Amino acid sequence: MIDTPTLPEAAVWVVLGLAVVTQFLRWRLSWVLFGLAIASALVTSRLTGLGLVSIAPGFALAFLLSPHAPEQLRVSSRPTTGAVVQILIVAWSAALMLHVLPGFNNLLLLDRVQSGPASLPYTLYLNLDKPMIFFAMMIAFPGMLTIERSRYAAGKRGAVLAGLGVGEWALLVALFLLVMGIALLSGFIRPELSLPGWIWIFAFNNLLFTCVAEETLFRGYLQNLFARRAGTAVAVVAAGCLFGVAHSLGGWTYVLLSSIAGVLYGLAYCFSGRLLVAVVVHFLLNLTHLVFFTYPVVAP
């Protein structure tokens, strides 16, 4: 069943989606749109006062980590305090990912729909809590959207993807195919071509809210953090494995698939120097799964 939201409710996520897009364009308008999305969520009761209390600590922690914070408040020059603040903001982000913070009335849009006859019924909410991670991290680490490719790709320059070497392209494609291949061989999915009428809802939510939030946390934040301390290779694998563990509710096969996919997204970020590329690769894999295979898994 597809639940049609009221116009005020739909406006919450349309405005929030525009805020996400304009953030990647580095427009200050993004923060105006973000404020309007929060205000409209309060008016429609999709966000309550308790929800504001839930997100406030994360944004306060993000401000303490921000390069724009006043020197007397900034914790980056105090290693111990900075480490504690970073642990707390990761814990806050994890709570949002798991939807355990109170005060959010996320919007149910798809209720036990099937992409095809062999697919397990699928439910989709438009989540207001998960996107908060993206905006908090943009305050804390605005530089994560664009990193120096030379840090990962030995001084290569050029267009974002045109500058990739044959080997880099081959590795990305191979990992993409490996994820789908293991999923097929394990029986996790099976071929099933489908273009459900709700694919546009899936694309809107998955690209702007799910993929953006997850790539921000796992690649933009954690991978960069690990890279500064242990080097690029360790960072890509470590962030990828943590991404897999975050999907442990789906079982061990899902953990393995998500870990390999996490490495794929991490390499896309490294090779291109753009978080947006990791987001798009993540979305393309999810969309390929939906269109060409049983989604989310084979029905029993």
Side-chain angles (χ1 to χ4, degrees):
M1 181 179 69
I2 302 177
D3 293 331
T4 304
T6 64
L7 184 59
E9 288 177 324
V12 174
W13 280 274
V14 170
V15 175
L16 186 62
L18 289 172
V20 170
V21 171
T22 50
Q23 189 71 230
F24 279 96
L25 297 174
R26 303 298 184 100
W27 291 357
R28 292 182 180 177
L29 174 62
S30 174
W31 293 107
V32 176
L33 293 170
F34 177 69
L36 288 174
I38 293 297
S40 58
L42 287 168
V43 169
T44 58
S45 298
R46 289 296 165 184
L47 179 69
T48 67
L50 184 57
L52 282 179
V53 173
S54 296
I55 62 176
F59 280 88
L61 292 168
F63 182 70
L64 294 178
L65 293 168
S66 173
H68 305 299
E71 183 63 37
Q72 61 270 27
L73 294 178
R74 200 179 311 154
V75 299
S76 56
S77 58
R78 289 168 276 170
T80 302
T81 305
V84 171
V85 169
Q86 295 204 46
I87 290 170
L88 290 174
I89 201 169
V90 169
W92 175 79
S93 298
L96 289 171
M97 285 270 188
L98 296 171
H99 312 298
V100 297
L101 291 185
F104 297 92
N105 297 312
N106 294 318
L107 180 62
L108 175 65
L109 276 188
L110 304 178
D111 187 13
R112 294 186 61 78
V113 298
Q114 286 181 281
S115 61
S119 294
L120 194 71
Y122 170 66
T123 297
L124 183 147
Y125 285 85
L126 283 180
N127 295 311
L128 188 65
D129 42 6
K130 203 169 182 179
M132 296 300 109
I133 298 169
F134 173 65
F135 290 97
M137 290 295 180
M138 287 302 96
I139 292 173
F141 311 104
M144 72 168 59
L145 292 181
T146 305
I147 57 175
E148 289 293 332
R149 294 178 63 196
S150 58
R151 175 171 158 192
Y152 298 102
K156 294 185 179 181
R157 293 292 183 267
V160 172
L161 290 178
L164 267 63
V166 173
E168 291 166 341
W169 272 110
L171 182 55
L172 294 179
V173 172
L175 287 172
F176 192 102
L177 295 176
L178 180 62
V179 172
M180 306 314 299
I182 293 176
L184 276 170
L185 292 173
S186 65
F188 196 73
I189 59 174
R190 77 182 195 196
E192 182 177 65
L193 181 64
S194 62
L195 286 171
W198 43 265
I199 192 171
W200 66 273
I201 299 174
F202 172 89
F204 173 79
N205 176 73
N206 197 261
L207 175 62
L208 295 182
F209 302 139
T210 301
C211 294
V212 166
E214 291 180 358
E215 291 311 301
T216 297
L217 178 60
F218 288 96
R219 255 56 67 181
Y221 173 63
L222 290 174
Q223 184 170 303
N224 277 320
L225 178 67
F226 297 151
R228 288 193 294 269
R229 288 161 172 75
T232 303
V234 171
V236 170
V237 173
C241 289
L242 285 176
F243 183 70
V245 171
H247 292 80
S248 58
L249 290 178
W252 287 109
T253 300
Y254 200 28
V255 169
L256 174 62
L257 293 170
S258 299
S259 297
I260 299 171
V263 172
L264 166 64
Y265 310 147
L267 290 174
Y269 183 37
C270 293
F271 294 160
S272 66
R274 301 289 187 275
L275 186 65
L276 180 59
V277 173
V279 170
V280 171
V281 171
H282 189 161
F283 171 68
L284 289 177
L285 190 143
N286 290 347
L287 187 63
T288 298
H289 180 184
L290 173 64
V291 174
F292 295 103
F293 303 95
T294 48
Y295 190 92
V297 294
V298 177

